[in-house]
Amino acid sequence: MSNYDQLHRQCRTLENQFDSKLTSYSQLVSTLVRERKGDLEATGSMDRWKDLERELEELLEKLEEANEQLSKLANNPELLSPAMLRTIQRHREVCQDNARELRRTRTNAQNALDQADLLKGVRNDIDAYKSSAADALLAERGRIDSSHRMTDDILQQAYETRSEFSRQRSTLTSINGRMLHVISTMPGVNNLISMIRTRRRRDSIIMGIVIGVCIITLLTYMWH
């Protein structure tokens, strides 16, 4: 459990750092394209671009290592809850998405730079549009990623709440069996059994309300 918590926090930190640097990387490419089209000295921007690229590759490598360790933990599912296994799967999917996004962004960046060298002075108006569109897409991607993380957190809380109520229900079922045995030998137990059953119904209602509120909150957020 301690290893899982540590690796989970490490993955979340690396994912956030990767998203931030990937955004800076994409924005810097847009600046670099404009500089090269204007025949300006772009050495500083080129150096910073390469530095960001190396940093992204290092972050991705660390993220892959952390996910590999989480996968080893997942090989023993009896030690982890279903919510933990789903979180491990989500981290693995985010890591794969980040790897694809880095490759795609790097390819698009290089294509944009090559195109700028060939078509300098011809596409100034289009550059302004592409820059604003790229910024809007990056901002939208950030909002979508934030929404996904919030959704994951809400679902994980709901699953953990459901698991807790399931454990309580198992405990109450066991108690009920023992009480049925006691009722045949002790007078005045019927009132106690009635109270326990009332509490079970209340717990079931509370569990339904909690899960319903979580689902409604999630759907409301995603709709807006």
Side-chain angles (χ1 to χ4, degrees):
M1 186 69 68
S2 176
N3 288 341
Y4 166 82
D5 290 337
Q6 181 180 359
L7 291 170
H8 173 55
R9 288 193 297 269
Q10 182 180 358
C11 284
R12 290 296 297 270
T13 299
L14 291 171
E15 288 166 2
N16 291 335
Q17 291 176 351
F18 187 94
D19 284 344
S20 176
K21 288 188 179 296
L22 184 62
T23 299
S24 299
Y25 177 84
S26 299
Q27 292 173 340
L28 183 61
V29 169
S30 297
T31 301
L32 189 59
V33 168
R34 289 194 297 270
E35 288 178 348
R36 297 184 73 171
K37 283 184 178 180
D39 277 337
L40 300 175
E41 181 59 42
T43 303
S45 297
M46 286 292 293
D47 291 341
R48 177 58 181 155
W49 176 44
K50 292 300 182 183
D51 289 341
L52 278 173
E53 192 172 89
R54 283 193 294 271
E55 291 171 10
L56 283 167
E57 290 172 349
E58 291 173 0
L59 284 173
L60 183 60
E61 183 177 352
K62 292 178 181 178
L63 189 57
E64 289 173 343
E65 291 174 358
N67 272 275
E68 183 176 352
Q69 295 180 54
L70 280 175
S71 296
K72 291 179 180 178
L73 292 179
N75 290 333
N76 297 310
E78 67 277 1
L79 302 179
L80 303 174
S81 69
M84 292 177 179
L85 293 173
R86 283 188 291 272
T87 300
I88 291 174
Q89 177 63 27
R90 176 59 182 163
H91 281 310
R92 186 182 302 116
E93 292 171 355
V94 170
C95 182
Q96 293 170 352
D97 289 343
N98 286 340
R100 286 192 294 269
E101 187 68 11
L102 178 58
R103 289 194 298 268
R104 186 188 66 80
T105 304
R106 182 164 47 198
T107 299
N108 291 345
Q110 189 59 56
N111 290 340
L113 292 173
D114 293 341
Q115 200 172 50
D117 288 338
L118 294 173
L119 303 177
K120 66 176 65 175
V122 178
R123 304 183 62 186
N124 291 333
D125 293 338
I126 297 178
D127 284 340
Y129 170 78
K130 290 177 69 175
S131 176
S132 61
D135 291 342
L137 288 174
L138 288 171
E140 182 64 21
R141 180 180 183 274
R143 288 192 292 270
I144 292 173
D145 289 342
S146 177
S147 175
H148 285 169
R149 285 191 291 269
M150 182 176 295
T151 301
D152 289 341
D153 291 340
I154 292 174
L155 287 175
Q156 183 171 351
Q157 292 174 7
Y159 284 129
E160 289 174 352
T161 301
R162 187 179 67 178
S163 297
E164 179 62 27
F165 280 124
S166 295
R167 287 192 292 270
Q168 291 183 9
R169 182 173 59 187
S170 298
T171 301
L172 291 174
T173 301
S174 176
I175 292 174
N176 185 56
R178 290 196 296 268
M179 292 303 296
L180 289 175
H181 175 72
V182 173
I183 195 173
S184 63
T185 60
M186 294 180 61
V189 180
N190 288 331
N191 291 336
L192 180 60
I193 295 297
S194 177
M195 292 173 62
I196 292 175
R197 288 176 177 171
T198 300
R199 182 176 179 181
R200 287 179 59 191
R201 287 194 296 271
R202 185 190 63 188
D203 289 345
S204 298
I205 293 172
I206 292 174
M207 179 178 67
I209 292 173
V210 169
I211 293 176
V213 170
C214 290
I215 293 174
I216 292 172
T217 302
L218 172 61
L219 292 176
T220 301
Y221 180 86
M222 295 180 68
W223 179 262
H224 291 290

